[in-house]
Amino acid sequence: MCLATCYFRPCGGPRVCLHAKQKVWPGDEVTSLVVNVDVQIYDPANKRYEVPISTPQVTQKASSPAYMLGYTKFPFGFSVTRKSTGTAIFNSSAGGFVFEDQFLQMSTVLSSSNVYGLGEHVAPLKLDINWQLVSLFSRDRGTPEGEGHNLYGVHPFYLNVEDDGNTNGVLLLNSNAMDIILQPTPAITYRSIGGILDFYVFLGPKPDDVIQQYTEVVGRPYMPPYWGLGFHLCRWGYGSVNGTRDVVNAMQKAGIPQDTQWNDIDYMDGHKDFTYDPKNFAGLPEFVDELHRNGMHYIVITDPGISSTQSPGSYAPYDEGIKMDVFIKNASGDPLIGRVWPGDTTFPDFFHPMADEYWSNQIKAFHDQVAFDGLWIDMNEVSNAIEGSIHGCPNSTLEDPPYKPGLDGDHLRTRTLCMTGKNAISTQYNLHSLYGYSEARSTMKALWKVLGKRSMVISRSTYPNSGTYGGHWLGDNGSSWPDLYLSIPGLLNFNMFGIPMVGADICGFGGNTTPELCARWMQLGAFYPFSRNHNSIGRKPQDPPSLGEEVVNASRSALLTRYSLLPYLYTLFHDAHVVGSTVARPLFFEFSADKATWDIDQQFMWGCGLLVSPVLKEKATNVMAYFPAGRWYDFYKGGEVSQTSKSGQNVTLPASMDFVNLHVRGGHILVLQQPNLTTSASRMNPFELVVALDAVGEASGHLFWDDGDSLDTYENGKYVLINYTTSGSKLEASIVESSYDGISTLQLDIVRVFGFTTETMPSRVKVNGQLVNSSNVEFDSKTKTMSVNKLDVPIGKNFTMEWSK
């Protein structure tokens, strides 16, 4: 069904149209159920700016919508109601609608006060709705706590858990500066200073369903290379190749896993992009070759500002940009000149039709010198050390609109470019918050072309669809205990935003860490999807070896555990890439009917099956963790957490420096692999299955496996997919797809089964019908677990395991 209507505003102004598009959404149970709706409100008489991101087009009439859609002409508004419960998901008919050239406003009731999202900000996961102002407009600044500070990225998407546990989400696809006001009614008001009102409403009904529906619209997350899931190490201020090499050597000597070494801007020659310091980093190409020979990888930082002060013919990135006419223009049509690290700079217009070719040329030319494996793109809000440009900005309502959202800074152009700056398709007034997204898109496309394989792009500024082209780190945090905790809401928010490759600077970027804080942060950071330790120049080093034995031991233990779980994590990223699921998720994503989970943001889950309960307080001797109803098992020894099978409980856990509190959820099978110091080495090791039985003795899981590097392996059918199921006393591995030969040499070595009872504790095990030697089977009557060792079964083949008394 499509619904369109127009009306004339009673107080004058443009004729406004509402256009509602209902998209047929295939689901697992009801294949024709419609669970999202797109409502556009625009002026049909005047073409207005719309966000230049491709979204799905309606191809057929809705046959079974999960909602009712209504509208009123006066007061103008529309409503979306969940059919199954009668819950109002969106209802703007109460009034307050305004549609002017530079001021658009619409209010709606919320289905409950449980609201999450609306980033980027630093705050607890569940948003305060007591007249809370959330302003969105990408800005280079630190990471102060509070929803009211507009930070690097813009994500006008929220998720709303209804009082009965059903969940909905709403995206306003608008990139202009905006205020969003959360009210205790509960209600929400949007105020944007441009574009159109383009709302997408997602009906879930489960939280992860909402994210799958959201990423179907804005774009699925990209599939990272396997090595990208390893540990990354960086700092601003190594000072030289030798300083960088010393840290890598110290990590290897300490036996701490590390896959990728990074360099910040101090590697550059005069802070110029696509150069390296010929004195202090003279041996950089050879150092990168060393890393590659050791199975490691290398990433460098790149800023968008291109130095404009070099003599003609001496700096190709500027010369070629001028020749190809790809830089953002000022109001007079000349390249807009700002000021960043190298001094006066120009800024590529990544919406220019020649921008991809220009950027790819620069990346290739530099890669021909230094064989980096990925790029870190910073300062792309876009950041500017002066206001607007070196020549100022003209007087204009684009520079000073009638309504200024509650942004940090006196003007829209504060710490960025003039809003009158001209891109190929519009102005900075409209496109400013898309700069980081557009740069990430061009950067990843260039890397695919130059490398011919998967890569990593980690961007500071993001927008919906950024996850299709890379990941994000949470910006310039501090070395403090509050920042340690607040990183968890940050990574959970970005998983909701469709950017699962996310993490904070482990141990903090600004300030000086302490051994205790860094040890705890390394424990938590080992379970960020993107795991990187990074800090600032002039601060104490915080690579683990530099901080002493306590930090070394905690880091080694946590990262070896991470590396053992990489097959499970990689499979979660595959699921995110294919169906849009989250990788790291809040507890309420799995237990939305349990109201106790709605406020929890000091624990999180990897997928459906693994619960992480980190230590977040100084000098802690224990951790209070919540376990929702069900069976939960200690990851390391398999013992069951008591008294949680029927109702959720708070349980006191140890605050050990030796391990991170991890628990496997009953009903799930995790695929592990013996860890090593790099992913290239660990990928050759034997596998292990952890089978956690639920209340009826069943469990399931799956493994996605490919070469970890090639582009589009799933799309091209060059992968292995294995389903694992346990029922009764039988475990089965079923090969769904087997089109990657590299798995043929890999073995399954260990199967651990958790959750037996005294009555069901087995004494005999058969694999593929053959009795397993009793010396290879361990039964623990205390933890009610079984471990079958030395199996030597091909991981890429069907197999069965049966146990009996």
Side-chain angles (χ1 to χ4, degrees), residues 467-579:
T468 302
Y469 300 102
H472 173 62
W473 92 103
L474 296 174
D476 295 345
N477 60 358
S479 297
S480 73
W481 291 92
D483 282 68
L484 171 67
Y485 149 62
L486 288 165
S487 70
I488 298 178
L491 76 92
L492 297 179
N493 268 317
F494 272 87
N495 270 266
M496 287 188 256
F497 298 152
I499 308 175
M501 180 59 84
V502 60
D505 282 345
I506 295 171
C507 302
F509 176 74
N512 288 315
T513 192
T514 66
E516 182 190 7
L517 174 60
C518 197
R520 292 304 190 192
W521 213 325
M522 286 295 297
Q523 288 184 320
L524 169 60
F527 295 92
Y528 293 156
F530 168 55
S531 182
R532 184 188 71 165
N533 179 318
H534 174 54
N535 72 320
S536 182
I537 195 168
R539 307 299 182 181
K540 290 194 308 184
Q542 63 187 35
D543 56 278
S546 71
L547 291 172
E549 201 63 25
E550 182 180 55
V551 181
V552 165
N553 292 337
S555 302
R556 183 194 301 117
S557 173
L559 287 172
L560 285 172
T561 301
R562 176 190 178 89
Y563 274 54
S564 73
L565 282 158
L566 287 184
Y568 175 66
L569 180 61
Y570 191 62
T571 300
L572 292 177
F573 270 96
H574 163 73
D575 295 344
H577 175 62
V578 174
V579 300

Side-chain angles (χ1 to χ4, degrees), residues 65-78:
Y67 53 83
M68 295 178 288
L69 177 65
Y71 71 96
T72 56
K73 291 188 176 182
F74 186 77
F76 175 74
F78 71 94

